[in-house]
Amino acid sequence: MSEPGSRPLNWRPPLAHPLVLIMLVTLVVRGVGLARHTFGADINGQPMVLMPWVYFPATFDYHYGVIMAGAAVLLLAWQLAPRVRRGLVALGGLAAGLVMLLGQTDFLMLRLVGRRMSPEVLTTYGNTGSVTAEVWGPLRADLGHSLWALGLVALGWLLLWGIVRWSWRQNSTPQWSGLWWVALVGGAVYLWSVPFRYEVMRVTMRPPEVVWAQVWWGGEQNPVEADRSDRVAAVRGMLVAAEDVSWQDDAYPLVRALPSGGREGGQPDIIVLVVESLRGATVGFISGETPSPTPELDALARSDVAFPRFMANGFPSAEGFFALQTGLLPHPTKTATAAFTGHHFDALPERLKRLGYYCTALWGGNAVMDNQLAWAQQWYDEVDYEERANRWRFKRSRTDGETIDALIGHLARRDREHPAQPQFVYVATSGTHEPFTPGGAESKNGLANRDGALRYDATTMGDREANYRARLREFDDALKRLGTFLESRAKRDRTVLLICGDHSVLLNESVDLRMRTYPVDGFVWTGAVMHGATSLIGPARVADFPASQIDVMPTLLRLAGDEGVTAAMGQDLLARDDGMRRQAIAVREGGFRLDRRGGTLFVSAENPVDWTVTSDTLTESPESARKLFEAVWGWAWLLEQDQVWPRSDEREQRR
């Protein structure tokens, strides 16, 4: 018998406590979703994880440890603040509902695009207030899995609502056990600690709640401890692929002098044609596939300059836009077009405008969604981004045939009205955007562009890869029409056309979950072709060296005769390759990539110890991985500090 006034220890688990029930439902929903995600397949039918039984236990521990820790905090508050218990139960139900939704959204994004659901995603894509085809298209293409995930969340919400309602109707106080609360805390601490015993895979193991918390608390910013001089040295030495660099400004350490000696013969018209989701692995002149899905592009590759190892510097589209316009690498965790709107950048169209060019930006799709439009309106003389038929937000995108027709229209109009003025046109297509379904072919519905109507085979409607090839053939048909127009112009010998991709897209590749947030080929390898007169770009050849989007700005500036200083990190694609250090770098939130002549080096964005190479001939080492890791994070620091390019008034004072 216990002493008067004392209370016996309660050894029974408080399973009837509403907060415990909320935790258990949340754990079940997360566990089922995580198991399906880990042991399932991606949208292409490839396994999400090559060794799921190795990966799953630690990931399970991490996710469960985080959820249990949150429940322990609410249970402690419930015990210490009895007057607000009903409110804490409601708060617990609401928080659990958000956790369920966040988890399933994170799994869906990893499955579809290999990207984590984070505040950065909302910052980048949540500024339009509209849900567009870019969002709904992939979800519709993966409808069965999407409905399953949303159904699981809906079931969890229904159970949470029932628990909260039942709790509010109870007249008695739920059971509380201090002993079991201590056990819950101990279990949460243990489970949370398990993944930290791993040196690899920790980025994809991380629960989305931790991803969000690290962004809010600044825990993921610049993991490299270094002073400014070390960061600058790392960036200059590893990321700027140029020889005999003449650095111009210590306050803005990327500013350097461009090589002298522009092309002779006056300023050419320049067209940069950026193909949505262009896959280097599918392009005919690279793959050697017969019959080729890109015969017109292949013909240009044979007659002009082909870059089979050209790649995007990041993923998705906004990163390609930023790299092509500024010659700068992406930030590891932030989308520059949305996160650094107060910064000033050395922009290609602004430079060309000062040389007398008329600059036009043309989109086939939604330029607002990731804030590309805001920058284009600052940099370009004219922006064409929306179909006139659209009345609310962006109801449809142009087909590639319609986009090419719009490009021809802009060129023809300027040729008539201002024939002597050089033109620069940036064109971003959208026809090869996910989900590549025949239903997206608006030209079939009698809208515009009869000549570029798609030739879909009905048997391909359920095959993503076949549909992608069909959409790519539509682009290639439109490219032929553009080539015919360019040959008819009076300035046909004074025009340069560069064709590349904004990024690539996974179709049938098997990529381990650990690498799905890395810039692997399926996300960044596009290939490129440059078309123009021999006097401008040299003889026909295959430039079989690593190249990327940041090389475009220095190349085009030299073609236009601009010999000023620049902050662009690339180098001239057309320069003689006499001992030049040719390289390509890509940056994603999960890892970084360095391509050199011998192969490819990948390094984790979180830990330089986690690195790998794709070729035995590439002479790389842990030291190279560490240098790349430090250089990319050093670059991120410079970008965050706005130490890339001075404002216009500051530039005037420095002259």
Side-chain angles (χ1 to χ4, degrees):
M1 180 177 295
S2 61
E3 295 295 328
S6 66
R7 300 178 61 183
L9 286 174
N10 186 353
W11 293 91
R12 293 178 298 171
L15 296 179
H17 196 290
L19 291 176
V20 174
L21 291 174
I22 287 172
M23 178 191 71
L24 292 175
V25 171
T26 308
L27 291 175
V28 170
V29 170
R30 177 62 60 87
V32 171
L34 182 61
R36 182 177 172 87
H37 175 71
T38 305
F39 292 95
D42 65 11
I43 193 171
N44 302 307
Q46 302 294 333
M48 286 295 296
V49 183
L50 297 181
M51 299 178 64
W53 286 109
V54 175
Y55 176 87
F56 180 74
T59 310
F60 179 92
D61 291 343
Y62 204 169
H63 283 246
Y64 269 40
V66 169
I67 293 172
M68 289 165 60
V73 171
L74 285 174
L75 281 166
L76 181 62
W78 185 91
Q79 180 70 5
L80 297 178
R83 294 185 178 181
V84 295
R85 285 176 173 174
R86 295 184 69 183
L88 286 172
V89 171
L91 176 62
L94 177 62
L98 292 175
V99 165
M100 292 178 186
L101 180 62
L102 183 60
Q104 293 306 310
T105 305
D106 192 51
F107 297 150
L108 280 173
M109 289 198 64
L110 279 170
R111 173 180 163 88
L112 293 173
V113 298
R115 192 172 187 184
R116 303 301 305 267
M117 181 61 188
S118 67
E120 177 55 32
V121 170
L122 293 182
T123 300
T124 303
Y125 301 105
N127 54 49
T128 65
S130 64
V131 180
T132 66
E134 287 90 339
V135 176
W136 286 118
L139 292 177
R140 287 199 307 267
D142 196 27
L143 187 60
H145 189 91
S146 300
L147 290 177
W148 183 92
L150 294 177
L152 182 62
V153 173
L155 177 61
W157 285 358
L158 183 63
L159 292 173
L160 292 176
W161 177 79
I163 292 170
V164 173
R165 187 181 181 196
W166 166 78
S167 172
W168 280 28
R169 290 182 173 182
Q170 290 289 100
N171 294 322
S172 59
T173 302
Q175 177 187 355
W176 163 264
S177 171
L179 182 65
W180 278 95
W181 184 85
V182 172
L184 176 65
V185 172
V189 171
Y190 172 75
L191 293 176
W192 200 326
S193 70
V194 169
F196 290 91
R197 303 169 196 170
Y198 291 73
E199 288 187 341
V200 299
M201 301 191 296
R202 205 177 299 155
V203 172
T204 49
M205 286 179 180
R206 187 182 301 157
E209 297 82 12
V210 174
V211 174
W212 283 65
Q214 287 184 321
V215 172
W216 285 334
W217 296 337
E220 68 171 4
Q221 301 303 314
N222 293 304
V224 178
E225 294 294 334
D227 59 26
R228 184 179 185 277
S229 61
D230 290 339
R231 285 174 169 149
V232 168
V235 172
R236 286 176 171 177
M238 198 74 178
L239 304 186
V240 181
E243 300 295 324
D244 301 323
V245 180
S246 175
W247 303 111
Q248 301 291 304
D249 195 329
D250 289 337
Y252 297 91
L254 285 179
V255 177
R256 61 185 175 91
L258 283 168
S260 60
R263 271 53 176 194
E264 298 179 357
Q267 297 170 323
D269 284 0
I270 299 172
I271 305 167
V272 176
L273 181 52
V274 184
V275 183
E276 171 67 43
S277 304
L278 182 63
R279 283 173 48 85
T282 304
V283 170
F285 76 86
I286 297 176
S287 68
E289 179 182 337
T290 304
S292 170
T294 56
E296 186 65 23
L297 187 60
D298 301 343
L300 291 179
R302 290 190 298 269
S303 63
D304 294 283
V305 185
F307 300 93
R309 298 181 62 185
F310 187 95
M311 71 181 187
N313 296 108
F315 177 91
S317 299
E319 312 294 7
F321 171 82
F322 182 71
L324 288 164
Q325 305 293 329
T326 66
L328 300 172
L329 290 170
H331 188 282
T333 59
K334 294 180 171 63
T335 302
T337 56
F340 303 110
T341 54
H343 289 26
H344 287 247
F345 297 106
D346 182 20
L348 175 61
E350 283 193 327
R351 299 284 289 262
L352 294 178
K353 281 166 63 176
R354 289 198 293 268
L355 292 174
Y357 277 77
Y358 185 82
C359 297
T360 303
L362 168 64
W363 273 271
N366 183 357
V368 172
M369 188 177 181
D370 48 18
N371 209 41
Q372 296 181 44
L373 180 62
W375 292 98
Q377 289 174 333
Q378 295 180 43
W379 293 336
Y380 284 86
D381 296 298
E382 184 176 356
V383 178
D384 183 346
Y385 67 94
E386 185 177 9
E387 284 295 284
R388 294 180 179 178
N390 293 344
R391 290 291 181 266
W392 184 80
R393 298 296 181 184
F394 295 85
K395 293 188 178 179
R396 78 174 186 90
S397 298
R398 290 181 171 110
T399 64
D400 287 350
E402 293 170 328
T403 302
I404 293 300
D405 284 347
L407 167 60
I408 292 172
H410 281 284
L411 292 170
R413 177 172 58 84
R414 296 298 302 180
D415 285 347
R416 291 192 307 269
E417 298 175 358
H418 303 277
Q421 185 179 22
Q423 299 187 56
F424 170 61
V425 187
Y426 173 85
V427 188
T429 70
S430 65
T432 42
H433 195 285
E434 288 266 19
F436 328 122
T437 54
E442 299 293 349
S443 57
K444 293 183 66 180
N445 299 330
L447 292 173
N449 184 37
R450 305 298 190 274
D451 295 335
L454 278 174
R455 297 171 294 178
Y456 272 108
D457 182 345
T459 61
T460 69
M461 293 184 64
D463 188 326
R464 289 180 72 249
E465 183 171 0
N467 283 332
Y468 174 81
R469 291 171 183 273
R471 300 306 295 269
L472 193 57
R473 285 197 300 272
E474 181 195 17
F475 164 76
D476 203 66
D477 288 342
L479 181 60
K480 183 176 182 179
R481 191 164 62 255
L482 174 62
T484 301
F485 169 77
L486 294 179
E487 285 299 313
S488 71
R489 298 175 72 224
K491 294 195 287 185
R492 60 182 175 274
D493 293 330
R494 300 301 308 162
T495 300
V496 172
L497 169 65
L498 173 67
I499 304 171
C500 63
D502 60 345
H503 54 76
S504 185
V505 63
L506 285 172
L507 286 182
N508 54 11
E509 298 90 335
S510 179
V511 181
D512 180 41
L513 183 59
R514 181 175 70 90
M515 300 292 288
R516 285 175 188 265
T517 55
Y518 281 52
V520 296
D521 283 349
F523 290 118
V524 299
W525 180 31
T526 72
V529 172
M530 184 175 287
H531 167 69
T534 303
S535 59
L536 292 171
I537 66 174
R541 62 195 184 277
V542 176
D544 191 21
F545 52 74
S548 67
Q549 293 165 335
I550 62 172
D551 297 321
V552 170
M553 181 171 172
T555 304
L556 300 184
L557 287 180
R558 194 172 182 192
L559 274 171
D562 188 333
E563 297 183 0
V565 298
T566 183
M569 303 167 97
Q571 59 183 330
D572 188 351
L573 291 168
L574 301 175
R576 289 178 59 89
D577 193 18
D578 297 333
M580 185 176 293
R581 187 181 73 179
R582 294 290 192 178
Q583 67 179 37
I585 293 173
V587 176
R588 290 199 70 197
E589 59 188 350
F592 315 139
R593 168 177 180 160
L594 170 64
D595 279 28
R596 286 180 178 162
R597 287 190 181 277
T600 300
L601 167 69
F602 289 101
V603 61
S604 166
E606 183 172 279
N607 190 344
V609 173
D610 183 8
W611 64 278
T612 186
V613 293
T614 62
S615 172
D616 293 336
T617 62
L618 182 62
T619 306
E620 295 293 353
S621 65
E623 181 66 14
S624 299
R626 183 188 61 79
K627 287 182 178 180
L628 179 60
F629 178 86
E630 292 177 351
V632 173
W633 281 111
W635 152 243
W637 183 84
L638 286 177
L639 183 53
E640 291 163 3
Q641 300 301 312
D642 197 9
Q643 296 182 12
V644 179
W645 189 248
R647 299 173 183 271
S648 56
D649 55 348
E650 189 176 349
R651 290 199 303 271
E652 291 297 326
Q653 295 175 4
R654 289 168 177 266
R655 290 179 179 175

